[in-house]
Amino acid sequence: MASIIDGKALSLSLKDGMKAQMEGLEAEYGRRPGLAVIIVGENPASKSYVAGKIKAAAYVGMDSRLIELPEDISEDALLAKIGKLNSDSSVDGILVQLPLPEHIDEDKVIDAIALEKDVDGFHPGNVANLWLGRPCTVPCTPKGIIRMIESTGIDISGKNAVVIGRSNIVGKPVAKLLLDRNATVTIAHSRTGNLKEVCRQADILVVAIGRPGFVTADMIKPGAVVIDVGINRIKCVKEDGSEGTRLVGDVDFNAALDVAGHITPVPGGVGPMTITMLMENTIECFKRKF
Ligand code: NDP
């Protein structure tokens, strides 16, 4: 039976550590770290992610502000808002919740955030520095994934790691972070042949696809560390017999429990750690200013 990597508990202990630092930071630097979160429109999933980020900022005692902008805001108006936050010295981190409405060019928006305030680590300057092995802001989800693997006590060095998914926000950066820790890394995707065989070689399997229950027990090497990044909302029947929805990951969790050595749950795994790494990145951006 796999042990569960409890992302919620790990997050809480990390956030408590940050909370304990906050007064000291204020005393040393004259103010607390400041995070600005921008949301455009009414996407319910985005609203819930943003609420989680603001709640975590309040928990650790950071200054945060939520900027809610209408769905039909022009690209120029959004860029102007980011420009103002770039020059606001009380703001250390700027996050624009993605996805944005179709009429707004996401690349332009990411590029507009000052490199030193890019707490998501999505700016091309941070991406380049990550791949060059230079100091940078590491994207939150991949950073949290590494912390969760490290929390098992398993040494990443020399292990076979397979990452399913090659997105810029999860798959590619987590592969680079695993490579930095001397794993032998394979990045799999929708065109990978014999995916099952590839996955079965993995001592560490990171799954970031967006398909409920896609990874089945027969794709997992016995004893592997399995990190399930997927967040999928599926229909279910509630206890009272009514129809509802629930969140599941990309891994068939119950079946995987019998095979894996360590596994992250959904919810309560990668999600909370992503938010916690955002707090950490904001504090790092704050400290770099001084
Ligand atoms: P993307 O849609 O950008 O990428 C999905 C990747 O999965 C692609 O590389 C795609 O391959 C690959 N893929 C799709 N189908 C298959 C298949 N049948 N076999 C193998 N590979 C496949 O997704 P994201 O990386 O943005 O997100 C992935 C999941 O993680 C989503 O559920 C998302 O909600 C979740 N997520 C969770 C976060 C958290 O904090 N917990 C943070 C970010 C994302 P190809 O490139 O060939 O199309």
Side-chain angles (χ1 to χ4, degrees):
M1 183 84 167
S3 26
I4 292 177
I5 308 174
D6 186 343
K8 225 171 158 180
L10 188 55
S11 284
L12 191 60
S13 79
L14 290 166
K15 282 189 294 187
D16 282 340
M18 294 181 217
K19 191 176 179 175
Q21 283 179 38
M22 219 39 87
E23 276 186 14
L25 288 177
E26 191 172 16
E28 191 175 349
Y29 301 111
R31 65 175 181 84
R32 290 174 178 232
L35 173 67
V37 177
I38 298 179
I39 180 166
V40 179
E42 302 292 328
N43 179 323
S46 293
K47 280 189 137 185
S48 125
Y49 295 145
V50 159
K53 290 165 186 177
I54 295 293
K55 195 172 154 200
Y59 184 85
V60 301
M62 198 176 271
D63 287 331
S64 70
R65 64 180 89 156
L66 175 60
I67 298 155
E68 293 173 285
L69 300 172
E71 180 88 26
D72 62 355
I73 189 170
S74 70
E75 187 178 277
D76 284 347
L78 176 58
L79 294 174
K81 188 84 208 164
I82 292 169
K84 272 196 175 157
L85 294 169
N86 282 341
S87 48
D88 183 335
S89 61
S90 68
V91 173
D92 304 291
I94 302 169
L95 179 148
V96 179
Q97 186 65 43
L98 302 177
L100 289 168
E102 271 184 11
H103 66 278
I104 298 176
D105 181 341
E106 279 184 6
D107 287 347
K108 267 195 196 168
V109 170
I110 291 168
D111 293 2
I113 297 171
L115 179 60
E116 64 278 12
K117 297 192 180 189
D118 170 37
V119 276
D120 255 340
F122 294 166
H123 188 285
N126 273 320
V127 177
N129 287 335
L130 177 74
W131 284 91
L132 291 168
R134 298 183 187 174
C136 65
T137 296
V138 176
C140 304
T141 303
K143 192 177 187 185
I145 291 169
I146 296 295
R147 290 291 173 79
M148 296 178 96
I149 299 169
E150 287 173 345
S151 77
T152 64
I154 287 170
D155 186 6
I156 296 173
S157 181
K159 298 290 188 303
N160 276 335
V162 173
V163 178
I164 319 181
R166 54 177 163 180
S167 70
N168 289 330
I169 61 169
V170 189
K172 284 185 215 158
V174 81
K176 174 63 168 72
L177 296 177
L178 288 161
L179 186 62
D180 288 345
R181 286 156 183 80
N182 301 316
T184 303
V185 183
T186 303
I187 306 179
H189 45 76
S190 66
R191 310 292 168 87
T192 299
N194 64 346
L195 183 64
K196 182 170 152 184
E197 292 316 310
V198 170
C199 292
R200 282 187 65 87
Q201 301 301 313
D203 304 304
I204 297 167
L205 181 62
V206 179
V207 190
I209 309 174
R211 290 180 176 227
F214 180 87
V215 169
T216 46
D218 59 347
M219 296 168 79
I220 298 170
K221 179 177 177 178
V225 178
V226 178
I227 306 290
D228 189 352
V229 187
I231 301 177
N232 309 287
R233 190 166 282 284
I234 61 163
K235 283 188 179 163
C236 68
V237 179
K238 292 200 267 187
E239 272 177 20
D240 63 3
S242 65
E243 276 206 353
T245 62
R246 68 187 176 98
L247 290 183
V248 296
D250 288 345
V251 176
D252 180 354
F253 182 77
N254 288 328
L257 269 179
D258 290 335
V259 189
H262 301 265
I263 187 167
T264 59
V266 178
V270 176
M273 281 298 284
T274 295
I275 294 180
T276 299
M277 294 300 104
L278 173 68
M279 302 301 114
E280 197 175 277
N281 282 353
T282 306
I283 295 172
E284 283 175 11
C285 288
F286 167 81
K287 284 184 179 167
R288 275 192 217 117
K289 266 191 180 169
F290 297 98

